[in-house]
Amino acid sequence: MTELRCRKSETLEGDNEEEEKQKESELETKPPDVEQVNGSSTAAADGSQQKDEGEVKGGQHEQEESSRAQSCVKAKGLSASVFLQRLVRVFFGCLASVACGMLYAVYLSTYHDRKFWFSTRQELEREITFQGGSGVYYYYYKRLIAAPSFERGFYELVVDNRTVSGQTINAVERLSLYPELITSFIYRVTGSQDFVEPIYFYIGAVLGLQAVYVTALFVCSWVMSGTWVAGMLAVAWYVINRADTTKVDHAIPLRDNWALPYFSWQVTALTGFLRNKIGSSTEMFCYLTMSATTFTFLLVWEHSHYVLFIQGFCLFLLDSFDLVPPRKMADIHKVYLSSLFLAYMFQFQNTALLSSPLLSLLIGSVLARYFQQRMKVGPLVARVMKLFLHFYLVFTSGITYSYLVKKLIAANESDFILKFLEVKFGLNTTTDFVPNFLLCQESFQTPGQDLFLRLTQASVLPFYFLVLAVCLLSALQAIYRRLSGQPLCKTYSLENGGIGEKPEVVYHVFHTMLFGGLALLFDGMKYLWTPYVCMFTAFGVCSPDLWMTVFKWLKLKSIHPVVLSLILSTAVPTIICFSLWREFSPRVLAELSELQEFYDGDTVELMSWIKSQAPVAAVFAGSPQLLGAVKLCSGSAVTSLPLYSDINLLKRTEDTYQVYAMRSAEDIYKLLTAQKTNYVIIEESICSELTINKGCRIKDLLDISNGHIVYDKGEIYSFSKYGRFCHEIKMNYSPYTNYFTRVFWNRSYHVYKVNSVISFQY
């Protein structure tokens, strides 16, 4: 820009000189008048004086030209030095972010090997380490690798009749298997089978994505604060609070371990896209990154559209309060709509996306904006009234659209989700097994005080509340000014001290508050909230704008507030990093040095028996988590899968769990044969479960559902004319021996064969 201005001034000066020369030549060629002849003596007398003045002006003009040339040279040198400083800063920041991601991936790999003794285990023992029913995802990866070709493997997954007994399912759609498809394709194409085992390639892909996750948090905090020290602090807090930020420690193949890294980059790209001071090329890069990551996030996780709905609601608030340009909101809507359409096509016309709350919100906001084209015009009271009307129109039209779509496509999942939410929020009670079973899952329960205690001990929670309070108050001031018709500062500087006027900061305020509210209700939401708490807090303590906002409110005059804010934005994170290093680095390094013992001998024995003794075409029934391991280790068909978003599979799970209820042998036999079961596995840990919270035991949920509960003086008792099946069948007496034959047992498991021909023994 400085060069352009200098060149422009030089061209203007050249044009002026040419005009002066043309005027002089015109005066010289012009014929003399009578007055000029008569006054020639006077002109001759003044000639010498004008010549002296011309010489003085010419000297001044030469001095101005020389000074302007010097200023142009200085500006060029200054711009070059500024560009060099920025380049060096960006280089070291990128280097630090990549280093943090790679070190975290190496740390996870080492910790995983130390925890499970992974490198010294056999193949069967390695597969059992995939806990929580997550092994079923790795089974499909193994199946794709073992297929004659990638096309054949893909076809077998789309038309899968070897997984759920009596059903042919599209496993790619039902289980969101695109991560396994892509990973197996890369494994084949790159020829990695020659130098790395499939299981190590799979685990390496997941851990590599965790490195991408950490890098995205680093970059996001860096972009918001302007210093990559904030990124390092965010990564440090993330690693220290690893138990509350990721599930990758114990269940590597879970969908959220694949999806959340893409979501973190989507949030980072959105943060850059919302900034006011951004170039066109950078804005286009952020837009393309946001588009790609949004589509990928929708593709690899079945619950992603709910997460994007919360994000879309945050952006809807930004747009309603007129904190972001309408052009950018239109571009974001295009990203959402195009990603939903592509995900709908790639997921084999997934009807859940058509009735998703994200699409309902987008359609409602578009319709409301069409009917309220002058919503952001008028005095304060009128704009507030228009705002309430806008909210009413958006949610009314969105709910109407969702209701109509669910009626047209006959989505039976909506009733199940609605009943679950009613019971969760205390609006209704039910004796149905499925809603009560989901409420008893750890992810859907209210988090305990341990979560907040751990975050406080790591010093992240106190600073988070401080940063959130300052940013929220400043954002409320900016919202009030916008509703009052006052423009926001387009050229933001540190002296202004209004951090809430930045759209990206206001977005993250809404983001952390909404996800934090959900984390207070559902423990599983902490894996979406805690990483951004670390990032947002690191940005706040390292941002001079936040400290300047506080000093502006305090009207500090004794010390220059700009200098003090710069000092604190460097000193505070330095002190925090030193204290974290002193307290937590020995603990983190100790996790790598300690050899932990994880060996489930009973499960290994069970899987070995199934692989060696059970027929290949056998069908097994049991708990969903155990059936996931059975499917992975043996490949046998099962009656259900550990997938809690499918109501049909949950109903089959309820029928299988009846072996722990107080039902007759004949009833259990009918339920199992209806699912074409050959073997049923009874787990001692479920049958003899002893917990403080009795209402969440599987046998208690079944007793409530079957009406076998008696209330007496505030106490709950189970009563039925039949004994509990899992206890009675171990007695080996009729009529249980008529229907079932025990074929395997150890301390943890009892396997019974379902007799195809009933033998009546007395």
Side-chain angles (χ1 to χ4, degrees), residues 668-702:
I668 301 299
Y669 182 81
K670 290 180 179 179
L671 289 172
L672 294 178
T673 53
Q675 298 180 358
K676 301 182 179 181
T677 304
N678 301 120
Y679 296 91
V680 57
I681 305 174
I682 295 179
E683 300 175 54
E684 193 66 30
S685 59
I686 300 178
C687 186
S688 304
E689 184 178 4
L690 296 174
T691 58
I692 299 176
N693 188 9
K694 292 184 177 181
C696 271
R697 296 184 300 182
I698 295 297
K699 51 188 178 182
D700 295 335
L701 297 175
L702 292 168

Side-chain angles (χ1 to χ4, degrees), residues 22-42:
Q22 290 177 0
K23 290 180 180 179
E24 290 176 358
S25 62
E26 289 176 359
L27 291 173
E28 290 176 356
T29 56
K30 194 173 183 180
D33 296 335
V34 177
E35 294 178 357
Q36 289 178 349
V37 174
N38 296 331
S40 59
S41 59
T42 309

Side-chain angles (χ1 to χ4, degrees), residues 228-482:
W228 48 268
V229 177
M232 299 189 69
L233 183 58
V235 172
W237 268 327
Y238 178 89
V239 175
I240 291 170
N241 297 282
R242 194 181 68 256
D244 302 311
T245 55
T246 180
K247 298 179 184 177
V248 76
D249 286 354
H250 61 277
I252 284 180
L254 287 180
R255 298 300 87 183
D256 40 352
N257 291 334
W258 288 94
L260 292 183
Y262 296 105
F263 180 65
S264 65
W265 272 110
Q266 193 260 7
V267 172
T268 303
L270 177 62
T271 302
F273 185 76
L274 290 174
R275 297 185 69 188
N276 289 327
K277 296 167 55 179
I278 182 174
S280 58
S281 58
T282 308
E283 182 178 329
M284 179 57 65
F285 175 76
C286 292
Y287 179 79
L288 295 176
T289 304
M290 184 170 53
S291 302
T293 50
T294 303
F295 165 67
T296 310
F297 182 55
L298 283 169
L299 196 64
V300 301
W301 195 23
E302 67 270 17
H303 301 306
S304 56
H305 58 90
Y306 295 109
V307 179
L308 291 178
F309 165 71
I310 301 171
Q311 183 188 75
F313 183 71
C314 297
L315 295 170
F316 166 73
L317 293 177
L318 279 179
D319 181 46
S320 300
F321 296 136
D322 199 13
L323 296 175
V324 63
R327 175 188 61 82
K328 289 189 176 183
M329 280 305 303
D331 291 339
I332 294 173
H333 285 177
K334 293 176 184 177
V335 169
Y336 283 149
L337 290 173
S338 60
S339 299
L340 283 170
F341 174 75
L342 291 175
Y344 172 77
M345 299 303 296
F346 274 82
Q347 292 181 354
F348 307 92
Q349 290 80 44
N350 186 4
T351 55
L353 295 178
L354 293 179
S355 59
S356 65
L358 174 62
L359 185 58
S360 301
L361 177 65
L362 294 175
I363 292 176
S365 61
V366 170
L367 291 176
R369 183 58 55 83
Y370 175 77
F371 290 110
Q372 283 186 302
Q373 297 183 1
R374 297 180 58 83
M375 185 190 73
K376 300 177 181 179
V377 178
L380 176 62
V381 177
R383 291 190 64 174
V384 171
M385 297 298 293
K386 291 179 182 179
L387 198 59
F388 280 111
L389 179 61
H390 184 66
F391 289 162
Y392 174 78
L393 289 175
V394 168
F395 290 109
T396 302
S397 55
I399 292 172
T400 304
Y401 165 79
S402 179
Y403 175 79
L404 292 176
V405 170
K406 289 175 181 177
K407 287 298 181 182
L408 290 175
I409 63 178
N412 55 357
E413 302 170 355
S414 57
D415 298 335
F416 141 68
I417 296 175
L418 183 61
K419 182 180 290 187
F420 165 74
L421 293 176
E422 287 177 351
V423 177
K424 173 64 180 178
F425 295 118
L427 302 176
N428 195 3
T429 57
T430 182
T431 59
D432 292 348
F433 174 82
V434 172
N436 291 327
F437 172 70
L438 291 177
L439 287 173
C440 288
Q441 299 301 306
E442 185 179 358
S443 298
F444 295 113
Q445 291 185 349
T446 304
Q449 297 180 355
D450 296 342
L451 168 64
F452 306 102
L453 182 61
R454 289 191 296 268
L455 294 178
T456 303
Q457 289 176 345
S459 73
V460 63
L461 199 60
F463 284 105
Y464 168 72
F465 284 129
L466 173 64
V467 173
L468 181 63
V470 174
C471 293
L472 179 60
L473 290 177
S474 182
L476 292 176
Q477 288 181 345
I479 292 171
Y480 177 77
R481 284 197 294 270
R482 291 301 294 147

